[in-house]
Protein backbone atom coordinates (compact mmCIF):
# COMPACT_ATOMS: atom_id res chain seq x y z
CA UNK A 1 0.00 0.00 0.00
CA UNK A 2 1.35 3.41 -0.97
CA UNK A 3 1.67 5.87 1.89
CA UNK A 4 -0.83 8.72 1.86
CA UNK A 5 0.76 12.14 1.50
CA UNK A 6 0.09 15.24 3.58
CA UNK A 7 0.73 18.42 1.59
CA UNK A 8 0.61 22.02 2.84
CA UNK A 9 -0.27 24.65 0.25
CA UNK A 10 1.24 28.12 0.03
CA UNK A 11 -1.13 30.50 -1.78
CA UNK A 12 1.15 33.42 -2.61
CA UNK A 13 0.06 36.95 -3.53
CA UNK A 14 2.51 39.87 -3.83
CA UNK A 15 5.25 37.76 -2.26
CA UNK A 16 3.24 36.82 0.83
CA UNK A 17 1.29 33.69 1.81
CA UNK A 18 -2.43 34.51 1.99
CA UNK A 19 -5.65 32.59 2.67
CA UNK A 20 -9.31 33.16 1.92
CA UNK A 21 -12.68 31.40 2.10
CA UNK A 22 -14.46 30.03 -0.98
CA UNK A 23 -11.67 31.72 -2.98
CA UNK A 24 -12.53 35.23 -1.72
CA UNK A 25 -11.80 37.36 1.37
CA UNK A 26 -8.02 37.04 1.04
CA UNK A 27 -5.95 37.89 4.14
CA UNK A 28 -2.23 37.93 4.88
CA UNK A 29 -0.65 34.94 6.67
CA UNK A 30 3.16 34.82 6.59
CA UNK A 31 6.40 34.88 4.64
CA UNK A 32 6.52 31.94 2.17
CA UNK A 33 10.16 31.04 2.84
CA UNK A 34 9.59 30.91 6.61
CA UNK A 35 6.53 28.68 6.21
CA UNK A 36 8.19 26.46 3.61
CA UNK A 37 11.15 25.76 5.90
CA UNK A 38 8.80 25.02 8.79
CA UNK A 39 6.87 22.47 6.74
CA UNK A 40 9.99 20.86 5.32
CA UNK A 41 11.18 20.26 8.88
CA UNK A 42 7.76 19.25 10.24
CA UNK A 43 7.05 16.07 8.31
CA UNK A 44 5.25 17.37 5.21
CA UNK A 45 5.60 14.97 2.30
CA UNK A 46 5.48 17.66 -0.37
CA UNK A 47 4.75 21.34 -0.73
CA UNK A 48 2.51 23.18 -3.20
CA UNK A 49 3.21 26.80 -4.16
CA UNK A 50 0.55 28.76 -6.06
CA UNK A 51 0.93 32.31 -7.32
CA UNK A 52 -2.83 32.80 -7.02
CA UNK A 53 -3.24 36.02 -9.02
CA UNK A 54 -0.81 35.36 -11.88
CA UNK A 55 -3.46 34.04 -14.30
CA UNK A 56 -6.02 36.69 -13.43
CA UNK A 57 -3.39 39.43 -13.78
CA UNK A 58 -2.19 37.82 -17.04
CA UNK A 59 1.46 37.63 -16.01
CA UNK A 60 4.11 35.00 -15.38
CA UNK A 61 4.73 33.57 -11.95
CA UNK A 62 7.29 35.51 -9.88
CA UNK A 63 10.29 33.17 -9.88
CA UNK A 64 12.33 35.17 -7.34
CA UNK A 65 10.09 34.06 -4.44
CA UNK A 66 9.91 30.55 -5.88
CA UNK A 67 13.71 30.22 -6.01
CA UNK A 68 13.99 31.29 -2.38
CA UNK A 69 11.36 28.76 -1.33
CA UNK A 70 12.89 25.93 -3.40
CA UNK A 71 16.36 26.51 -1.96
CA UNK A 72 15.04 26.35 1.61
CA UNK A 73 13.32 22.94 1.52
CA UNK A 74 14.20 19.27 1.03
CA UNK A 75 10.83 17.89 -0.08
CA UNK A 76 9.20 17.81 -3.54
CA UNK A 77 7.76 21.13 -4.67
CA UNK A 78 4.81 21.62 -7.02
CA UNK A 79 4.44 25.10 -8.47
CA UNK A 80 1.55 26.76 -10.30
CA UNK A 81 0.16 30.11 -11.35
CA UNK A 82 0.42 31.87 -14.69
CA UNK A 83 1.49 28.71 -16.56
CA UNK A 84 0.27 29.56 -20.05
CA UNK A 85 2.87 27.98 -22.34
CA UNK A 86 5.06 24.90 -22.45
CA UNK A 87 8.09 27.18 -22.02
CA UNK A 88 6.76 28.10 -18.55
CA UNK A 89 7.33 24.50 -17.47
CA UNK A 90 11.03 24.75 -18.27
CA UNK A 91 11.33 28.12 -16.57
CA UNK A 92 9.74 26.89 -13.33
CA UNK A 93 11.60 23.60 -13.28
CA UNK A 94 14.86 25.49 -13.66
CA UNK A 95 13.82 27.78 -10.79
CA UNK A 96 13.48 24.80 -8.44
CA UNK A 97 10.08 23.19 -9.03
CA UNK A 98 9.86 19.40 -9.15
CA UNK A 99 6.39 19.45 -10.71
CA UNK A 100 4.44 22.16 -12.50
CA UNK A 101 0.73 22.67 -11.93
CA UNK A 102 -1.34 23.99 -14.82
CA UNK A 103 -4.92 25.19 -14.48
CA UNK A 104 -6.26 28.17 -16.46
CA UNK A 105 -3.52 27.81 -19.08
CA UNK A 106 -4.61 24.27 -19.88
CA UNK A 107 -8.25 25.34 -20.14
CA UNK A 108 -7.29 27.97 -22.72
CA UNK A 109 -4.79 25.69 -24.49
CA UNK A 110 -5.54 22.00 -23.76
CA UNK A 111 -2.76 20.77 -26.07
CA UNK A 112 -0.24 22.19 -23.60
CA UNK A 113 -0.79 19.18 -21.29
CA UNK A 114 0.35 16.68 -23.90
CA UNK A 115 3.17 18.87 -25.21
CA UNK A 116 4.61 19.39 -21.72
CA UNK A 117 4.30 15.70 -20.87
CA UNK A 118 6.23 14.73 -24.01
CA UNK A 119 9.06 17.16 -23.23
CA UNK A 120 9.32 16.93 -19.44
CA UNK A 121 7.53 13.67 -18.61
CA UNK A 122 4.09 13.07 -17.14
CA UNK A 123 5.55 13.03 -13.62
CA UNK A 124 6.18 16.80 -13.98
CA UNK A 125 2.68 17.69 -15.21
CA UNK A 126 -0.02 18.32 -12.60
CA UNK A 127 -3.53 19.28 -13.70
CA UNK A 128 -5.07 21.52 -11.06
CA UNK A 129 -8.84 21.92 -11.16
CA UNK A 130 -10.95 24.51 -9.32
CA UNK A 131 -14.45 23.03 -9.23
CA UNK A 132 -17.82 24.26 -7.96
CA UNK A 133 -21.34 22.88 -8.17
CA UNK A 134 -23.45 24.80 -10.68
CA UNK A 135 -27.01 23.51 -11.08
CA UNK A 136 -25.92 20.14 -9.70
CA UNK A 137 -23.00 19.86 -12.12
CA UNK A 138 -19.31 19.74 -11.10
CA UNK A 139 -18.20 22.77 -13.11
CA UNK A 140 -14.57 23.78 -13.68
CA UNK A 141 -13.62 27.42 -13.07
CA UNK A 142 -10.57 29.30 -14.32
CA UNK A 143 -8.61 32.41 -13.32
CA UNK A 144 -8.42 31.59 -9.63
CA UNK A 145 -12.05 30.49 -9.42
CA UNK A 146 -13.35 33.72 -10.97
CA UNK A 147 -14.49 32.52 -14.39
CA UNK A 148 -17.00 29.73 -15.01
CA UNK A 149 -16.14 27.47 -17.94
CA UNK A 150 -18.18 24.95 -19.91
CA UNK A 151 -16.02 22.08 -18.67
CA UNK A 152 -17.39 19.33 -16.43
CA UNK A 153 -14.88 18.12 -13.83
CA UNK A 154 -14.99 14.36 -14.47
CA UNK A 155 -14.67 14.82 -18.24
CA UNK A 156 -11.83 17.32 -17.80
CA UNK A 157 -9.97 14.99 -15.43
CA UNK A 158 -10.26 12.14 -17.94
CA UNK A 159 -8.99 14.41 -20.71
CA UNK A 160 -6.02 15.41 -18.56
CA UNK A 161 -5.03 11.81 -17.87
CA UNK A 162 -5.49 10.75 -21.50
CA UNK A 163 -3.22 13.57 -22.64
CA UNK A 164 -0.35 13.04 -20.24
CA UNK A 165 -1.08 14.63 -16.87
CA UNK A 166 0.59 12.60 -14.14
CA UNK A 167 -1.44 13.89 -11.21
CA UNK A 168 -4.59 15.86 -10.45
CA UNK A 169 -5.17 18.41 -7.69
CA UNK A 170 -8.91 18.74 -7.15
CA UNK A 171 -9.80 21.99 -5.39
CA UNK A 172 -13.41 22.25 -4.22
CA UNK A 173 -14.49 25.91 -4.25
CA UNK A 174 -17.59 24.93 -2.27
CA UNK A 175 -15.57 23.70 0.71
CA UNK A 176 -12.44 25.89 0.38
CA UNK A 177 -11.59 27.57 3.69
CA UNK A 178 -14.89 26.48 5.28
CA UNK A 179 -13.14 23.85 7.45
CA UNK A 180 -16.13 21.53 7.40
CA UNK A 181 -14.38 18.58 5.80
CA UNK A 182 -13.29 17.59 2.31
CA UNK A 183 -15.77 17.40 -0.57
CA UNK A 184 -16.12 13.61 -0.57
CA UNK A 185 -18.81 13.31 -3.31
CA UNK A 186 -16.80 15.46 -5.72
CA UNK A 187 -13.58 13.62 -4.92
CA UNK A 188 -15.21 10.23 -5.41
CA UNK A 189 -16.63 11.23 -8.78
CA UNK A 190 -13.26 12.38 -10.13
CA UNK A 191 -11.08 9.76 -8.43
CA UNK A 192 -13.18 6.89 -9.79
CA UNK A 193 -12.85 8.28 -13.32
CA UNK A 194 -9.03 8.29 -13.48
CA UNK A 195 -6.11 6.04 -12.56
CA UNK A 196 -3.51 8.74 -11.88
CA UNK A 197 -3.00 10.11 -8.34
CA UNK A 198 -5.61 12.58 -7.07
CA UNK A 199 -4.83 15.16 -4.36
CA UNK A 200 -7.80 16.37 -2.33
CA UNK A 201 -7.93 20.11 -1.64
CA UNK A 202 -10.44 22.32 0.14
CA UNK A 203 -12.21 21.83 3.44
CA UNK A 204 -9.69 20.53 6.00
CA UNK A 205 -10.60 21.88 9.43
CA UNK A 206 -9.54 19.25 11.96
CA UNK A 207 -7.43 16.07 12.05
CA UNK A 208 -10.47 13.79 11.75
CA UNK A 209 -11.26 15.38 8.36
CA UNK A 210 -8.14 13.70 6.97
CA UNK A 211 -9.14 10.38 8.57
CA UNK A 212 -12.59 10.67 6.98
CA UNK A 213 -11.03 11.58 3.64
CA UNK A 214 -8.71 8.59 3.40
CA UNK A 215 -11.31 6.16 4.73
CA UNK A 216 -14.01 7.43 2.37
CA UNK A 217 -12.16 7.73 -0.94
CA UNK A 218 -8.91 6.27 -2.23
CA UNK A 219 -7.15 9.54 -3.01
CA UNK A 220 -3.38 9.71 -2.78
CA UNK A 221 -2.97 12.87 -0.72
CA UNK A 222 -4.70 15.47 1.37
CA UNK A 223 -3.81 19.13 0.95
CA UNK A 224 -4.38 21.85 3.53
CA UNK A 225 -3.53 25.50 4.02
CA UNK A 226 -4.84 27.59 6.91
CA UNK A 227 -5.17 24.66 9.33
CA UNK A 228 -1.43 24.15 8.97
CA UNK A 229 -0.48 27.84 8.69
CA UNK A 230 -2.24 28.78 11.93
CA UNK A 231 -0.99 25.67 13.78
CA UNK A 232 -4.51 24.29 14.21
CA UNK A 233 -3.08 20.98 13.00
CA UNK A 234 0.53 19.88 13.37
CA UNK A 235 1.56 17.51 10.60
CA UNK A 236 3.52 15.15 12.86
CA UNK A 237 0.54 14.81 15.21
CA UNK A 238 -1.79 14.29 12.25
CA UNK A 239 0.37 11.47 10.91
CA UNK A 240 0.43 9.75 14.29
CA UNK A 241 -3.38 9.84 14.31
CA UNK A 242 -3.61 8.53 10.76
CA UNK A 243 -1.25 5.68 11.61
CA UNK A 244 -3.39 4.76 14.63
CA UNK A 245 -6.41 4.69 12.33
CA UNK A 246 -4.68 2.18 10.07
CA UNK A 247 -3.86 4.67 7.32
CA UNK A 248 -0.35 4.24 5.92
CA UNK A 249 1.77 7.41 6.15
CA UNK A 250 5.47 8.22 6.32
CA UNK A 251 6.52 9.22 9.83
Amino acid sequence: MLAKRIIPCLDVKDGRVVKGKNFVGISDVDDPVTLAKFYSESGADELVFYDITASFEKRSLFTDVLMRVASSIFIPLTVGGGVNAVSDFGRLLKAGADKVSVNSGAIKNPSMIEEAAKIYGSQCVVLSMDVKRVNGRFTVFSDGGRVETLLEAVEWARFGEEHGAGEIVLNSIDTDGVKGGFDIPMLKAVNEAVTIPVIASGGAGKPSDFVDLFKSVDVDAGLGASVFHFKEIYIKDLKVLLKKEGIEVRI
Side-chain angles (χ1 to χ4, degrees), residues 37-224:
K37 288 175 73 172
F38 171 76
Y39 291 134
S40 183
E41 296 165 358
S42 298
D45 295 295
E46 298 184 17
L47 188 67
V48 169
F49 176 111
Y50 288 139
D51 185 335
I52 62 169
T53 57
S55 292
F56 179 70
E57 294 172 358
K58 295 181 171 50
R59 59 169 172 79
S60 298
L61 183 144
F62 293 132
T63 52
D64 54 341
V65 180
L66 166 59
M67 292 174 73
R68 286 169 42 225
V69 167
S71 64
S72 70
I73 64 175
F74 301 96
I75 53 178
L77 176 63
T78 297
V79 178
V83 179
N84 293 303
V86 174
S87 58
D88 290 326
F89 280 78
R91 183 172 62 86
L92 297 179
L93 292 168
K94 285 178 183 174
D98 296 286
K99 295 182 273 189
V100 176
S101 175
V102 62
N103 189 325
S104 301
I107 292 170
K108 294 175 181 119
N109 178 19
S111 64
M112 180 167 53
I113 300 171
E114 188 167 7
E115 291 171 20
K118 285 179 179 177
I119 296 171
Y120 302 106
S122 290
Q123 78 283 352
C124 288
V125 181
V126 178
L127 178 61
S128 179
M129 301 165 48
D130 297 327
V131 182
K132 183 177 182 178
R133 288 167 180 78
V134 179
N135 297 322
R137 180 177 183 263
F138 293 135
T139 302
V140 178
F141 280 66
S142 67
D143 297 277
R146 295 174 179 85
V147 179
E148 182 179 342
T149 75
L150 298 176
L151 296 171
E152 194 278 328
V154 171
E155 295 170 2
W156 183 230
R158 284 189 181 129
F159 178 93
E161 178 177 28
E162 290 166 0
H163 290 81
E167 194 168 67
I168 288 171
V169 175
L170 180 59
N171 311 298
S172 172
I173 298 175
D174 293 319
T175 61
D176 176 73
V178 177
K179 299 185 180 179
F182 289 93
D183 196 329
I184 301 299
M186 183 184 291
L187 288 161
K188 277 186 175 179
V190 171
N191 190 65
E192 290 171 1
V194 298
T195 61
I196 56 177
V198 172
I199 297 171
S201 173
K206 53 190 181 300
S208 61
D209 290 334
F210 287 89
V211 176
D212 293 341
L213 167 69
F214 293 128
K215 287 192 172 184
S216 299
V217 55
D218 190 26
V219 293
D220 292 75
L223 182 148

Side-chain angles (χ1 to χ4, degrees), residues 13-52:
K13 180 177 185 287
D14 300 327
R16 296 282 297 178
V17 176
V18 297
K19 194 66 189 90
K21 183 176 179 180
N22 304 123
F23 281 40
V24 296
I26 303 298
S27 58
D28 184 82
V29 176
D30 206 339
D31 169 64
V33 177
T34 301
L35 268 184
K37 288 175 73 172
F38 171 76
Y39 291 134
S40 183
E41 296 165 358
S42 298
D45 295 295
E46 298 184 17
L47 188 67
V48 169
F49 176 111
Y50 288 139
D51 185 335
I52 62 169

